[in-house]
Amino acid sequence: MTFLRVHPDAPEPRQRSSPRIAQLARLIEDDIQTRNLEPGDRYHNAAEVARMLKVSTAAANRALQLLAHRSVIERRQRRGTFIGRGTHAAASPVLGRIHLLVEREFVQSEGLLGDGVLAGIHEVIPGSRLQFTFMPRDDRPKFVRRLLAETTGARTREGLVIVRSDPATQQLVADSGLPAVVFGTVWPGISPMREVDL
């Protein structure tokens, strides 16, 4: 089991507030299904997706990155974008890294090691690296947006476990479309988040 730390002081990459990347990803998935594309079939590049959806190339690229994380598409350098195996079959449950998004005070007072949470995560999703990502005291939305941008742009598929978080954090994560669950309770009105009690 590997543990890493992220410091909340790193600069935040530029963010576009609209359109939401998860919504664009759903539109791309709808296009793939409507056209009955199969794994291995060629798909549009970021510029073509941007024209199709009438969005910026950067937004289209981030949506394609998210779909690559979900194995819906495969992006091959200098060859193009192809339909992945996640389109018609369940994507592999293995995540390269799982961020445990938690307040440092919670870990110190409640713990996560002694109550079997980490062992439970590793049992359900074997082969993943677990990373404690501590929430800063100030400007949490900025920190969460930066983390989500990094997670979406990572080379391996990544996910999040949000430990007893505030509604704004849960909403940002839910809107991202990344694989994520809440350890604790999902705030009312936030979907499609799931809660777990390991």
Side-chain angles (χ1 to χ4, degrees), residues 46-57:
E48 293 166 335
V49 169
R51 280 192 298 274
M52 177 180 75
L53 299 178
K54 296 178 176 52
V55 297
S56 70
T57 304

Side-chain angles (χ1 to χ4, degrees), residues 100-109 112 132-137 140 163-166:
L100 297 168
L101 191 56
V102 63
E103 293 185 30
R104 188 179 306 272
E105 293 78 18
F106 179 82
V107 174
Q108 292 170 345
S109 65
L112 283 175
F132 279 97
T133 303
F134 296 109
M135 292 288 283
R137 291 181 191 265
R140 290 181 175 194
V163 180
R164 291 178 176 61
S165 61
D166 60 276

Side-chain angles (χ1 to χ4, degrees), residues 45-191:
N45 62 31
E48 293 166 335
V49 169
R51 280 192 298 274
M52 177 180 75
L53 299 178
K54 296 178 176 52
V55 297
S56 70
T57 304
N61 188 48
R62 288 189 57 213
L64 289 170
Q65 286 175 334
L66 179 58
L67 292 174
H69 271 290
R70 296 178 182 167
S71 302
V72 172
I73 62 166
E74 294 176 9
R75 300 179 92 184
R76 301 176 193 157
Q77 193 170 9
R78 295 186 207 155
R79 294 185 62 209
T81 304
F82 299 87
I83 304 303
R85 298 190 192 288
T87 306
H88 298 288
S92 168
V94 175
L95 298 172
R97 176 170 51 175
I98 300 171
H99 293 274
L100 297 168
L101 191 56
V102 63
E103 293 185 30
R104 188 179 306 272
E105 293 78 18
F106 179 82
V107 174
Q108 292 170 345
S109 65
E110 303 293 325
L112 283 175
L113 297 169
D115 56 10
V117 171
L118 299 179
I121 292 170
H122 237 268
E123 183 178 319
V124 173
I125 309 172
S128 298
R129 284 185 331 207
L130 302 177
Q131 174 174 317
F132 279 97
T133 303
F134 296 109
M135 292 288 283
R137 291 181 191 265
D138 300 320
D139 208 358
R140 290 181 175 194
K142 179 179 178 181
F143 175 78
V144 173
R145 283 189 202 95
R146 179 182 60 78
L147 175 65
L148 294 173
E150 289 173 5
T151 302
T152 301
R155 291 179 183 236
T156 60
R157 192 166 186 252
E158 296 186 357
L160 297 101
V161 174
I162 310 164
V163 180
R164 291 178 176 61
S165 61
D166 60 276
T169 297
Q170 288 186 11
Q171 189 64 63
L172 285 168
V173 174
D175 290 345
S176 75
L178 291 166
V181 295
V182 173
F183 176 63
T185 303
V186 175
W187 288 90
I190 297 178
S191 60

